[in-house]
């Protein structure tokens, strides 16, 4: 089943008319009709707003056409959510490292050697953790392509 037929099935399941879904998703009604009849491919720019208005993840619209099972899609979504969390944690760690670095630069002349040593150790720990996270991400990406 193509993307257009999946959209049509979900639209009808929600009890929406073509006009209503087109307005909600801000997609031209004529284009939506062509998508549902599979006379035109659904562009990626339309997938997300249509999925949102149909209360489904965008993967649900494209899985059948790509030959992906719902289980495969769920695994992929879970890995994306996990990756997003890792990226957020890495970004937070990077912000902490930058703040520590700025503190050392701005306050360096006012800090005792012990305080500078402590801040430098914290910065080093952040650096090591970022390197480990980058290695994990790289290894994970290599494993997926292998």
């Amino acid at each position: 089943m193509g993307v257009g037929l999946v959209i049509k099935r979900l639209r009808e399941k929600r009890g929406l008319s073509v006009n209503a879904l087109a307005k909600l998703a801000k997609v031209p009604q004529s284009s939506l009709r062509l998508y549902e009849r599979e006379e035109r491919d659904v562009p990626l720019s339309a997938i997300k707003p249509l999925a949102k208005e149909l209360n489904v993840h965008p993967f649900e619209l494209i899985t059948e056409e790509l030959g992906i099972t719902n289980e495969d899609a769920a695994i992929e979504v879970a890995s994306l959510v996990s990756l997003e969390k890792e990226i957020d944690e890495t970004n937070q760690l990077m912000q902490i490292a930058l703040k520590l670095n700025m503190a050392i630069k701005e306050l360096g002349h006012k800090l005792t050697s012990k305080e500078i040593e402590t801040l430098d150790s914290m910065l080093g720990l952040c650096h090591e953790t970022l390197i480990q996270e980058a290695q994990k991400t790289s290894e994970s990406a290599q494993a997926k392509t292998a």
Side-chain angles (χ1 to χ4, degrees), residues 83 86 131-146:
L83 179 60
E86 288 175 25
I131 289 172
Q132 290 172 358
E133 290 300 317
Q135 287 173 340
K136 284 182 197 174
T137 303
S138 177
E139 290 168 3
S140 176
Q142 288 174 355
K144 285 185 179 180
T145 57

Side-chain angles (χ1 to χ4, degrees), residues 4-119:
L5 293 176
V6 173
I7 291 169
K8 182 178 181 179
R9 178 176 48 86
L10 291 170
R11 176 184 58 76
E12 290 173 344
K13 184 178 176 182
R14 282 211 49 220
L16 292 171
S17 67
V18 172
N19 294 345
L21 179 57
K23 283 181 182 178
L24 289 169
K26 295 178 177 68
V27 173
Q29 175 187 342
S30 57
S31 295
L32 183 55
R33 288 187 191 283
L34 292 172
Y35 303 154
E36 287 189 355
R37 289 193 302 244
E38 301 210 322
E39 293 175 11
R40 183 185 295 169
D41 289 337
V42 182
L44 289 176
S45 60
I47 295 286
K48 190 172 182 178
L50 287 166
K52 180 181 180 237
E53 297 307 328
L54 292 168
N55 293 325
V56 296
H57 192 280
F59 265 166
E60 283 191 53
L61 299 182
I62 61 174
T63 54
E64 290 183 45
E65 187 163 291
L66 296 176
I68 300 172
T69 66
N70 285 341
E71 184 177 303
D72 291 339
I75 290 168
E76 188 63 28
V77 168
S79 75
L80 289 173
V81 168
S82 175
L83 179 60
E84 187 175 306
K85 181 180 176 191
E86 288 175 25
I87 289 170
D88 185 50
E89 289 171 355
T90 301
N91 285 340
Q92 288 176 6
L93 188 55
M94 182 66 85
Q95 291 299 320
I96 290 168
L98 290 171
K99 287 178 182 177
L100 283 169
N101 192 34
M102 290 300 292
I104 291 170
K105 285 181 181 177
E106 290 177 11
L107 302 173
H109 64 282
K110 295 179 183 177
L111 299 174
T112 66
S113 60
K114 184 68 176 168
E115 290 169 330
I116 291 173
E117 186 180 312
T118 301
L119 287 172

